[in-house]
Amino acid sequence: MIFILLTLFTLVTLRKSREIVKMQRRLNQVYEYAFGEMYDTVLNVDTVKANVNERLSTAQYKTHFQKGFNIFVKQQNIWKFFQTWQNRVSSFGFIIIFGAALFMLREGSLSIGEFVMVIGYMSMIYRPFWNLTHNIRTLQRGTTAIERAAKLLDQSTEAYDDPRAERLKETKGHFVFKNVCFAYKKDKGPVLTDISFEVNPGEVVALVGESGVGKSTLVSLLSRYYAPISGEIFLDGIRLNNISLKDLRKNIAVVPQEVMLFNDTIKNNIKYGKVGVADEEIFRAAQAANAHEFIEKFSKKYDQIVGERGIKLSTGQKQRVAIARALLRDPKILILDEATSALDSQSEKLVQEALARLIKGKTTFIIAHRLSTVRHADKIIVMDKGRIVQTGTHEELIRQDGLYKHLCSLQHVYL
Ligand SMILES: Nc1ncnc2c1ncn2[C@@H]1O[C@H](COP(=O)(O)OP(=O)(O)OP(=O)(O)O)[C@@H](O)[C@H]1O
Ligand SMILES: [Mg+2]
């Protein structure tokens, strides 16, 4: 009888546990989405306000959190049923054993002493068993959380210190792309097709083309954020894949399209990634980046906190801080993803001056949105739908009746 009860108890526990675990996973998913959405809206609060979308955003949270709450209530109801059932089974088991012992006492097969002993042992067995069933809940919550953490930890890390990789102390900055193809997902179409070109040390290469043709994707291959699906990239004659990732990235500085700063002082933002530099070096970099003057105007000067993502600085100021950071690091290779948003002419002039100082003597990739800025590039690569359609200098390309000429005429650049 006891055996039947225990088997029944175990079976129902396992079945219900599976149901509860499934619900816990769903609950985690729903809350993760709801909190993610909330975080996203807080970051984009300007857009929410500009579109008078407060009500809709609030309604969206309510729906998501309500969904989570409904699952939570359902899960609690299952627990309630489960616990009532556990209580009943264990009480029933206790009564049966107690009855049997009483019966045996009356029959004379148990003495009073033995009877007390049986009841005592039963309580001793019951207590931990009871605790165990009650702790299952905490245990299950924990295991679903561990499952999720394990998934994150399972993500492979980038091999920064691969001992087999070739070290690259000094680079000349000589790049060769050979028939490079790339796709973000295997089942999706290619983003880059058959890309081949060469960049000599110290050259400035401009990448132009309409939005979405793959310019940013192409430069992300340089720092090996992604790897080509076919073809090869060489730096100083070495396959990019064989170079130590740490060395490769140390030799590249990126001034991105959208500069994001840390919520720290301007000084720490400039020296980010380079420890132990003297203040004088930081000031020199800021001066060369045309940033010193506006920094000096802040009440706390270089100790001014820039706010989350650098919110207290204008776009042009953030760009100049990013340029100062790149100047301080002074690597041989430079990637500039020009900001799409136009700056006012004064700010533009300051940024362009700073960039001119920065690119001196470096192999530079400029993703140019304004064609006026690429005129002086040694080589212009014109892209269309993931392919290179034209290569040459401004003068060469303008003489051809191709995409470059068309793009220039769209931007009213004097031909
Ligand atoms: N992380 C990503 N995952 C999947 N697809 C992506 C990703 N990043 C970009 N894409 C897609 O790859 C294509 C090329 O994008 P890319 O950002 O390289 O264009 P771009 O030329 O830099 O455009 P823009 O001038 O607007 O910056 C686009 O169709 C884009 O949707
Ligand atoms: Mg881009």
Side-chain angles (χ1 to χ4, degrees):
M1 182 72 184
I2 297 287
F3 180 71
I4 294 171
L5 273 177
L6 271 177
T7 318
L8 198 66
F9 188 88
T10 318
L11 283 178
V12 174
T13 306
L14 283 177
R15 227 185 88 92
K16 284 284 159 199
S17 294
R18 237 177 277 150
E19 213 171 307
I20 290 169
V21 166
K22 226 160 100 185
M23 264 188 177
Q24 187 67 43
R25 275 197 205 116
R26 180 90 192 100
L27 192 65
N28 288 345
Q29 266 173 5
V30 171
Y31 277 139
E32 194 172 87
Y33 186 80
F35 279 111
E37 190 124 307
M38 194 179 228
Y39 183 68
D40 208 27
T41 319
V42 171
L43 278 183
N44 292 300
V45 68
D46 292 351
T47 317
V48 175
K49 281 176 187 259
N51 289 286
V52 202
N53 218 14
E54 290 91 339
R55 269 170 195 261
L56 191 67
S57 288
T58 317
Q60 271 170 349
Y61 299 145
K62 274 194 184 150
T63 320
H64 292 317
F65 280 103
Q66 188 63 44
K67 206 165 149 191
F69 183 69
N70 291 345
I71 297 175
F72 178 73
V73 170
K74 253 194 218 162
Q75 196 195 29
Q76 292 305 307
N77 283 338
I78 296 181
W79 270 117
K80 220 165 66 190
F81 162 82
F82 188 37
Q83 276 179 346
T84 319
W85 191 85
Q86 277 182 332
N87 288 349
R88 280 193 193 143
V89 171
S90 51
S91 308
F92 187 57
F94 192 86
I95 290 167
I96 286 180
I97 296 171
F98 186 78
L102 209 60
F103 177 75
M104 286 163 85
L105 180 72
R106 273 194 62 188
E107 286 277 288
S109 47
L110 270 187
S111 66
I112 284 273
E114 282 167 337
F115 176 77
V116 172
M117 211 167 74
V118 166
I119 302 300
Y121 277 146
M122 262 183 57
S123 313
M124 277 165 72
I125 294 169
Y126 251 74
R127 182 53 52 197
F129 195 60
W130 189 252
N131 286 346
L132 193 71
T133 56
H134 277 77
N135 286 340
I136 280 182
R137 186 185 189 138
T138 323
L139 210 69
Q140 273 170 350
R141 252 193 218 145
T143 43
T144 49
I146 288 172
E147 245 174 47
R148 278 154 39 80
K151 248 189 210 166
L152 274 180
L153 291 172
D154 268 355
Q155 299 286 326
S156 56
T157 48
E158 291 179 303
Y160 263 113
D161 286 312
D162 189 349
R164 291 160 302 175
E166 274 198 54
R167 302 306 308 262
L168 186 78
K169 276 281 156 266
E170 276 284 315
T171 169
K172 293 199 247 356
H174 176 225
F175 273 103
V176 176
F177 274 62
K178 261 195 189 154
N179 310 104
V180 170
C181 295
F182 175 77
Y184 280 100
K185 283 204 177 108
K186 282 200 180 103
D187 49 343
K188 294 263 162 66
V191 177
L192 297 174
T193 313
D194 206 18
I195 301 285
S196 298
F197 65 89
E198 184 174 357
V199 187
N200 291 314
E203 265 186 354
V204 177
V205 186
L207 297 165
V208 300
E210 284 173 349
S211 179
V213 292
K215 304 180 296 289
S216 299
T217 306
L218 196 153
V219 294
S220 70
L221 301 182
L222 300 172
S223 308
R224 259 173 60 195
Y225 293 129
Y226 298 99
I229 48 173
S230 66
E232 286 286 354
I233 305 171
F234 297 89
L235 172 57
D236 296 349
I238 312 168
R239 277 200 172 84
L240 210 60
N241 262 344
N242 296 347
I243 297 173
S244 146
L245 196 56
K246 202 171 175 180
D247 289 350
L248 176 71
R249 292 193 185 159
K250 269 193 172 164
N251 278 292
I252 301 178
V254 185
V255 178
Q257 211 164 2
E258 292 275 329
V259 179
M260 294 281 180
L261 299 178
F262 294 100
N263 189 8
D264 201 340
T265 61
I266 292 198
K267 194 201 272 175
N268 285 342
N269 267 294
I270 293 178
K271 71 172 190 187
Y272 184 75
K274 198 168 174 188
V275 278
V277 280
D279 280 1
E280 285 67 40
E281 262 189 86
I282 297 173
F283 301 153
R284 226 178 297 136
Q287 264 156 355
N290 278 348
H292 183 73
E293 209 170 304
F294 84 79
I295 297 171
E296 284 288 310
K297 281 193 190 135
F298 287 125
S299 55
K300 292 193 178 155
K301 303 191 172 179
Y302 280 80
D303 290 324
Q304 177 75 31
I305 302 275
V306 299
E308 269 175 48
R309 296 176 298 148
I311 204 152
K312 292 180 192 165
L313 303 187
S314 74
T315 313
Q317 289 173 335
K318 273 192 278 191
Q319 273 174 10
R320 281 177 274 157
V321 170
I323 293 170
R325 184 189 285 166
L327 274 164
L328 195 62
R329 278 189 53 206
D330 196 32
K332 262 280 177 314
I333 302 155
L334 194 66
I335 297 171
L336 307 171
D337 204 340
E338 199 177 69
T340 5
S341 55
L343 302 172
D344 65 81
S345 50
Q346 177 59 18
S347 195
E348 177 80 44
K349 191 173 150 263
L350 292 173
V351 170
Q352 290 301 338
E353 268 176 22
L355 285 179
R357 283 184 202 126
L358 179 60
I359 65 181
K360 218 175 260 171
K362 297 187 177 78
T363 302
T364 308
F365 292 80
I366 303 184
I367 296 179
H369 295 284
R370 282 182 291 289
L371 296 178
S372 51
T373 63
V374 298
R375 284 192 146 193
H376 308 296
D378 298 299
K379 196 178 278 162
I380 300 169
I381 293 178
V382 188
M383 291 177 72
D384 191 24
K385 297 190 191 93
R387 289 176 185 272
I388 295 180
V389 289
Q390 282 180 296
T391 315
T393 61
H394 175 77
E395 279 70 30
E396 285 164 7
L397 292 177
I398 219 71
R399 269 185 252 123
Q400 298 169 14
D401 215 8
L403 182 59
Y404 185 75
K405 193 173 175 181
H406 173 67
L407 291 171
C408 281
S409 67
L410 285 180
Q411 291 197 10
H412 308 293
V413 173
Y414 286 112
L415 307 179

